[in-house]
Amino acid sequence: MIAQEVAGRAAARGAPDAFARVTREHSLMLRFAAGRPTQSTAIDDLTVEIAIPFRGQVGRASTNAVDDRALANCAERARLAAEAAAAVGESNFPGFDPTPLPGAGDPGFGFDPRTAELDPEVGAAALADAFAVAGEQGLEAHGIWTVAQQEEAWAMGDRSGAERRTDAFMKVICIAPSGRSGYASRTAITVADIPARELAEQAARKAVVDGEPARLGPGEYTVVFEPAAVGWLLDLLAGSAFNGLAHAEGRGALDGRLGQRVAVPLVNLSDSPRSARTLPRSFDAEGTRKAPIPLIQDGVAHSVAHDRRSAAIAGATSTGHALAPGGSPSGPSPTNLVLAGGGASDETELCGPVERGVYVTRLWYANVVRPKETLITAVTRDGTFLIENGRITRPLRDLRLTDSVLGILSRTQAIARHQQLTSDGEFYGRRFAYGIVCPALRAGAVRFTA
């Protein structure tokens, strides 16, 4: 693998204590709007990052050049950055101690050769299917289709690791002349698992629901969340509850609550980085080998995620969740969350006991308001409906949800059996593909403020 060879040379330029990380991305993205292609982007990028520790601080520098002179210059810039940081004050980073991996870049089960071809004809066919379905219903189709292959490698001294991954994503938003819209998306390791026509049909069904949109005032309602909405909730929870740096500094939502019940016993949430149901990863940005960790078991808070810096503060060991060599300023985060399924067959069954409530397809403009409380705010979008007497009756105008994620999980009444790999999939910056495996769920007394 090219990335592994470059990582070895980069680490050698900063020896003996330099850690080198190399990411090589090949990706293709097709955007579409109003039933026609609007933008295509192909990326071929290789980035080298060298990190050097010094007196508890870490200096980092990066380059896109891979000749020996450029790598030596990059290592020198990293060393100068570390010395400059240490001159301000020593810190607590314990140094790198990466975990050697067997083999030489075995792609494993997170890599699909067909997807790695980045065939634009496959994307064109997917868009054509979406346009056809939308056109049959008199709707406009908007969205994204994207595929990528990525090599990632690290090296330090005589130790190294590497792997290849692929990912594919498609979202379809169908918009009716009335302005009503519907959404569906799919994330997968292989492009063959992205059913464009099925996604367009799901989105179209929501856009053509009859009836003038109803209004609901602020208040608390029983809510059925589709997997896409549950994924958003869990992604926001990851940063506020399972961030080991925030936890070690007393800012995390689980500070003083490990071992305590924080959700109903139905809730079992883990980080499973080697699960083929997610977008699997073998190691983190510091070369630490990943392993599954339970986060919430039977509703009880069990653990948080650590990189080497947060683990040093907490007196723990890294769980393999570094987002950058030496630790991201925002701290570590679990990126392979899996919420176990429950006993409900589907969303229809979840709606059954609801006399009057809200059906939410997905959330938009979602942000954490108070991390310590896991209080978030978000707007429903692209398929919000009124539930009356156990069934969806008409569209709802979108609502602003303002509630605690742990609060929602503590008021969860039922969870669907089927899990789905969900993802935002926008990739506006450097591509870091990850997803959350989760089912639909029903929760009571969810608070809407507008």
Side-chain angles (χ1 to χ4, degrees):
M1 293 174 70
I2 293 175
Q4 191 167 20
E5 185 272 331
V6 173
R9 288 195 291 113
R13 296 303 175 274
D17 50 357
F19 177 89
R21 178 192 183 201
V22 176
T23 305
R24 188 183 189 196
E25 173 190 335
H26 295 273
S27 65
L28 176 65
M29 178 175 290
L30 307 179
R31 296 184 183 272
F32 54 97
R36 62 183 182 85
T38 57
Q39 182 187 52
S40 60
T41 305
I43 293 176
D44 183 356
D45 174 78
L46 188 147
T47 299
V48 182
E49 188 171 16
I50 299 177
I52 297 179
F54 183 69
R55 295 178 182 172
Q57 299 282 9
V58 179
R60 290 199 298 260
S62 62
T63 180
N64 296 109
V66 298
D67 60 278
D68 288 344
R69 181 176 179 181
L71 295 178
N73 287 338
C74 184
E76 180 62 18
R77 287 188 285 116
R79 189 176 301 281
L80 291 173
E83 292 173 354
V88 176
E90 296 188 11
S91 189
N92 50 21
F93 183 70
F96 295 102
D97 187 19
T99 313
L101 297 175
D106 181 4
F109 51 77
F111 179 84
D112 174 61
R114 180 72 180 88
T115 303
E117 293 175 4
L118 308 186
D119 187 349
E121 293 188 3
V122 176
L127 268 60
D129 284 344
F131 298 159
V133 170
E136 292 165 3
Q137 302 284 337
L139 309 172
E140 291 183 350
H142 305 248
I144 292 171
W145 178 94
T146 181
V147 291
Q149 68 157 317
Q150 190 179 68
E151 294 179 21
E152 186 174 359
W154 62 264
M156 181 178 180
D158 60 356
R159 292 177 284 177
S160 65
E163 68 180 358
R164 288 186 291 169
R165 316 180 188 103
T166 55
D167 68 270
F169 173 80
M170 185 176 189
K171 75 170 182 181
V172 181
I173 300 171
C174 285
I175 302 179
S178 65
R180 290 195 292 273
S181 59
Y183 169 91
S185 67
R186 190 69 56 85
T187 303
I189 294 170
T190 170
V191 71
D193 292 331
I194 305 295
R197 178 169 290 275
E198 178 184 323
L199 294 176
E201 290 170 347
Q202 291 174 9
R205 283 195 294 270
K206 294 179 179 179
V208 299
V209 171
D210 291 332
E212 185 67 22
R215 290 180 180 270
L216 278 183
E220 295 181 347
Y221 300 93
T222 299
V223 178
V224 172
F225 293 100
E226 281 198 359
V230 176
W232 263 107
L233 294 174
L234 297 179
D235 196 31
L236 295 172
L237 180 66
S240 55
F242 308 125
N243 180 326
L245 181 61
H247 186 80
E249 294 176 345
R251 299 180 286 109
L254 297 183
D255 179 40
R257 301 184 70 184
L258 293 181
Q260 298 180 11
R261 188 170 302 283
V262 296
V264 296
L266 286 171
V267 174
N268 286 280
L269 180 66
S270 65
D271 189 69
S272 302
R274 296 293 290 162
S275 170
R277 294 179 298 169
T278 70
L279 298 177
R281 293 175 178 269
S282 298
F283 51 84
D284 70 0
E286 295 176 331
T288 302
R289 189 178 302 183
K290 287 180 168 288
I293 59 170
L295 299 168
I296 298 177
Q297 288 186 308
D298 300 324
V300 176
H302 190 275
S303 55
V304 298
H306 282 297
D307 55 21
R308 289 189 59 75
R309 183 181 295 278
S310 71
I313 297 172
T317 57
S318 173
T319 57
H321 289 90
L323 301 179
S328 166
S330 60
S333 181
T335 54
N336 295 86
L337 291 175
V338 176
L339 177 63
S345 58
D346 55 21
E347 288 87 337
T348 300
E349 183 175 333
L350 291 174
C351 290
V354 181
E355 292 185 8
R356 184 175 173 81
V358 180
Y359 186 97
V360 176
T361 294
R362 71 161 177 151
L363 299 172
W364 188 48
Y365 281 145
N367 292 285
V368 177
V369 179
R370 292 199 289 267
K372 190 79 169 178
E373 303 167 27
T374 69
L375 182 69
I376 62 118
T377 186
V379 179
T380 66
R381 190 182 189 189
D382 298 324
T384 308
F385 301 99
L386 182 65
I387 306 171
E388 295 178 299
N389 298 319
R391 65 185 185 89
I392 292 173
T393 56
R394 50 183 168 156
L396 267 180
R397 293 192 181 276
D398 287 321
L399 302 162
R400 177 167 291 280
L401 182 155
T402 304
D403 206 340
S404 159
V405 180
L406 285 179
I408 292 172
L409 295 180
S410 69
R411 299 188 299 274
T412 294
Q413 300 169 347
I415 299 177
R417 185 176 306 117
H418 174 70
Q419 298 162 295
Q420 181 179 322
L421 177 59
T422 67
S423 162
D424 179 38
E426 296 290 350
F427 304 120
Y428 287 121
R430 186 173 299 281
R431 195 178 188 104
F432 183 87
Y434 72 97
I436 296 171
V437 177
C438 56
L441 63 80
R442 183 181 72 241
V446 177
R447 184 159 62 99
F448 292 92
T449 54

